[in-house]
Amino acid sequence: KLHPLHDYGIPTVWSVGDCHSRISDLRFKSVIHHHKPDGLIVNNKSAIPHLTSFIEYPMKYIWIPWAYNPKFNHPYGLSKNFDVTIPAGNFKIPIRQAIHGRLKNDPSIRYQSIFAESKYGAISFREYSKIISDNLIAISTCQHDDKQHAPDGSFIGMTFTKWFEIPMCGTLHIGQRSADCHELGFENHVNAVMFDSVDEFAEKFKYFLAHPQEQRRIITNARELIRDEHTYSRRALSLIREMQSL
């Protein structure tokens, strides 16, 4: 029989992604209580209070946000042959599906729908970044509408990697508002463009598509923030400090 490392006095720290969708998952709770980890690394800070109250196990929660990969996420000097793309794999999410439908059905928009048409995992990281770089605008959404909120109703929309990847590819990011974006330094119409509904997205997309100077201003601001605050090295230093405090 395999025993948890905790039984042998060996400290453990777990890392979970997309934990916003598993806050009330009883399997997750039972696994935590069985293995008794000393810490849990999460990518979205807004989920921590709800994980704490639901799991009911004393451990340290470590917030390590996503970052960008400079090896892949950079401008490729492409000609911006498209107006917009949605870099995502799951187009069953209602808000993403609705935006995709609007873009696809508007012949005046140069919509690159390769992500919606590709099989999951069929695009390499480099090709993914090149596709984004060849678009003026790239769109992100948080997740399923019914998973944007904790059981108590508070907002926990995630600040995904796309908040960092898209600007570093030299493209304007228009993203569904997340819960942690402001704490990470993102400001609406300063270094990101945020929306809360399909109609608000459509309005902002139309405006920024028609104003290339505004696009460039926001992209420049976003790249400065991300280079200064959201690199792998900064995340590594944060993790080392947190681990030393256990």
Side-chain angles (χ1 to χ4, degrees):
K1 181 181 178 180
L2 294 176
H3 292 270
L5 294 177
H6 174 84
D7 291 354
Y8 303 100
I10 301 174
T12 59
V13 175
W14 291 16
S15 176
V16 295
D18 292 4
C19 57
H20 62 289
S21 63
R22 297 171 177 82
I23 283 180
S24 58
D25 192 326
L26 291 174
R27 293 170 299 173
F28 185 43
K29 181 175 182 177
S30 65
V31 167
I32 291 289
H33 278 260
H34 176 72
H35 288 279
K36 300 178 175 63
D38 297 275
L40 188 70
I41 299 171
V42 298
N43 302 118
N44 52 319
K45 185 179 181 182
S46 56
I48 292 176
H50 313 292
L51 288 167
T52 302
S53 62
F54 175 71
I55 293 174
E56 298 174 332
Y57 177 77
M59 59 182 170
K60 182 178 179 65
Y61 287 88
I62 303 170
W63 181 37
I64 303 294
W66 298 108
Y68 83 101
N69 188 334
K71 182 177 180 180
F72 301 111
N73 306 141
H74 57 81
Y76 285 82
L78 302 177
S79 301
K80 300 291 183 183
N81 291 300
F82 297 92
D83 292 328
V84 61
T85 191
I86 306 175
N90 179 4
F91 279 80
K92 295 180 180 179
I93 296 174
I95 191 168
R96 189 177 294 159
Q97 191 176 60
I99 292 172
H100 166 67
R102 287 199 180 195
L103 298 174
K104 185 178 181 180
N105 294 322
D106 188 337
S108 69
I109 297 172
R110 299 179 303 162
Y111 174 41
Q112 189 174 34
S113 59
I114 185 171
F115 291 103
E117 298 163 359
S118 297
K119 293 182 179 179
Y120 182 77
I123 299 175
S124 69
F125 288 125
R126 189 176 302 279
E127 184 63 21
Y128 166 85
S129 297
K130 284 184 175 181
I131 293 169
I132 293 174
S133 182
D134 202 24
N135 281 265
L136 293 170
I137 295 170
I139 303 158
S140 74
T141 57
C142 290
Q143 63 271 325
H144 287 279
D145 292 342
D146 61 350
K147 293 178 181 176
Q148 285 186 21
H149 297 85
D152 67 358
S154 56
F155 183 52
I156 54 170
M158 288 187 68
T159 308
F160 285 106
T161 54
K162 297 178 186 71
W163 285 76
F164 313 106
E165 295 167 342
I166 292 171
M168 297 314 291
C169 289
T171 297
L172 178 67
H173 175 223
I174 300 183
Q176 186 181 7
R177 189 185 308 273
S178 73
D180 300 325
C181 60
H182 298 294
E183 193 166 347
L184 290 167
F186 291 103
E187 299 178 59
N188 199 14
H189 298 178
V190 175
N191 48 29
V193 179
M194 307 175 196
F195 64 91
D196 294 303
S197 67
V198 176
D199 288 339
E200 185 182 7
F201 157 76
E203 179 182 341
K204 291 189 174 184
F205 172 73
K206 181 179 179 181
Y207 172 83
F208 283 101
L209 185 61
H211 292 81
Q213 189 172 350
E214 284 291 280
Q215 291 178 34
R216 290 191 292 271
R217 175 183 64 82
I218 293 174
I219 292 169
T220 299
N221 291 340
R223 288 172 59 82
E224 182 178 342
L225 168 71
I226 295 164
R227 276 196 302 258
D228 289 346
E229 303 294 337
H230 302 299
T231 61
Y232 278 174
S233 58
R234 277 190 171 269
R235 296 292 186 261
L237 289 172
S238 296
L239 180 59
I240 290 169
R241 286 194 296 267
E242 292 288 355
M243 298 293 283
Q244 288 173 337
S245 69
L246 287 175

